[in-house]
Amino acid sequence: PTPPRSRGMAPPLRKQKRWVAASYFVHFYTALGLPISLLQVLLLLGPEPSFDAFFYLNSLAVFVDATDGTLARLVDVKLNTPTFDGALLDNIVDFITFTFIPSLVTVAFKIVARDDVPMVLNVAVVPLFASAYQFCYSGAKTTESFVGFPSY
């Protein structure tokens, strides 16, 4: 069922256990990106990295990321779990999933040779710094959209 706040009624009480539990479940759902990323790293660092397995895990990570915000708004996580910063968790998972893992991919799948240090710096390391900067830029997101350099 839709939370009372979404139906135009009075906001739900924070102590309503079902909405608090649902909110923590959404945070857990967002955090699923972490073990998915760990599996990707283990796969990429293995003796024979499999592009197919990586692609499936990455697709799963993208699906979780694409759906967690909708779920968070549906159960109003900010109201029901006010001491837990789900946006920060999402940023951590997003940085690992969409910045760190792709940088690792460039080396693991030999897109860039590991011993070509200048190329590794340009293709794998510079995007890490650019994205870290963007994640720390407080004006990068508005309530409607993303703003600025598209590394967020």
Side-chain angles (χ1 to χ4, degrees):
T2 305
R5 184 175 190 191
S6 300
R7 291 193 307 241
M9 297 170 61
L13 298 174
R14 289 187 181 142
K15 300 214 185 262
Q16 286 185 342
K17 291 181 184 179
R18 66 182 176 164
W19 299 118
V20 172
S23 294
Y24 277 112
F25 174 79
V26 171
H27 294 311
F28 173 77
Y29 180 72
T30 298
L32 286 175
L34 297 172
I36 293 168
S37 290
L38 178 60
L39 289 173
Q40 288 178 302
V41 168
L42 294 174
L43 176 76
L44 293 172
L45 296 179
E48 293 291 324
S50 165
F51 181 79
D52 290 343
F54 171 79
F55 177 78
Y56 291 124
L57 286 171
N58 201 54
S59 296
L60 180 61
V62 169
F63 177 80
V64 169
D65 182 62
T67 56
D68 66 346
T70 300
L71 293 173
R73 287 182 289 281
L74 180 69
V75 300
D76 205 352
V77 296
K78 288 183 180 181
L79 179 69
N80 289 298
T81 53
T83 59
F84 190 92
D85 191 343
L88 180 57
L89 174 63
D90 189 56
N91 281 341
I92 292 167
V93 173
D94 285 355
F95 184 82
I96 293 168
T97 302
F98 300 113
T99 304
F100 180 77
I101 299 289
S103 289
L104 184 59
V105 162
T106 62
V107 177
F109 288 129
K110 299 179 181 156
I111 296 167
V112 175
R114 291 179 187 186
D115 58 349
D116 187 352
V117 175
M119 189 61 81
V120 169
L121 288 173
N122 283 316
V123 175
V125 176
V126 169
L128 290 173
F129 283 111
S131 187
Y133 171 81
Q134 190 65 18
F135 269 88
C136 295
Y137 175 54
S138 61
K141 273 197 234 183
T142 67
T143 55
E144 294 85 31
S145 66
F146 294 103
V147 179
F149 186 72
S151 66
Y152 191 85

